[in-house]
Amino acid sequence: MDIVFINDLRIDTIIGIYDWERQVRQTVSLDLEMSTDIRKAAETDDIQYALNYKSVAMRLVDFIGGSEFQLVETMAEQVCQIVREEFGVAWVKLTLRKPGALRESRDVGLIIERGDRSGEQA
């Protein structure tokens, strides 16, 4: 299994449970690790055989930027579902950060993994 990753993808969105959070856009940061097999892309030097990280990033920017969530947990589940279903990724690890959510901390968030780490599409 090979891994394509995206680090610190920053997206402005509505996220939070408090009234003030529903009125302002906040930045979330995503780190993604996605299983793939790069051999055919490497052999052919052809993007059609690669997991196109730009396409993944743009899809998530559009989705998250146009959504409103109360919980980071809901956002995380839906992000993983998009990546797995729309991009044929068998396994994804997502770190989702919400910077500034706690005054005493740089950021808070969660890490989730979904799918089969061996790379077998379920």
Side-chain angles (χ1 to χ4, degrees):
M1 171 183 65
D2 305 313
I3 295 175
V4 170
F5 67 90
I6 300 171
N7 283 334
D8 199 21
L9 179 62
R10 295 173 186 227
I11 306 167
D12 292 335
T13 190
I14 301 292
I15 180 80
I17 59 171
Y18 300 110
D19 289 341
W20 71 266
E21 291 180 300
R22 312 304 300 161
Q23 305 301 317
V24 298
R25 296 182 73 75
Q26 298 178 72
T27 302
V28 294
S29 170
L30 284 68
D31 295 343
L32 290 144
E33 294 181 22
M34 301 164 285
S35 66
T36 192
D37 184 340
I38 70 160
R39 290 177 286 195
K40 183 137 186 178
E43 178 184 310
T44 62
D45 202 26
D46 189 333
I47 189 68
Q48 75 174 332
Y49 300 113
L51 175 56
N52 188 326
Y53 51 80
K54 183 174 183 177
S55 295
V56 173
M58 294 296 83
R59 174 65 172 103
L60 297 179
V61 167
D62 288 344
F63 172 70
I64 293 172
S67 299
E68 295 186 13
F69 294 98
Q70 293 190 42
L71 300 177
V72 292
E73 290 85 350
T74 306
M75 180 188 292
E77 282 291 344
Q78 291 186 23
V79 164
C80 287
Q81 184 177 3
I82 287 170
V83 170
R84 294 190 68 225
E85 291 178 3
E86 295 183 21
F87 294 94
V89 170
W91 170 85
V92 61
K93 177 179 178 183
L94 169 68
T95 302
L96 194 156
R97 295 179 180 86
K98 188 176 170 187
L102 292 175
R103 188 177 336 175
E104 300 81 11
S105 175
R106 182 181 69 213
D107 54 29
V108 299
L110 52 85
I111 300 170
I112 66 172
E113 292 184 37
R114 295 294 179 264
D116 183 356
R117 193 174 177 101
S118 71
E120 301 281 326
Q121 184 68 17

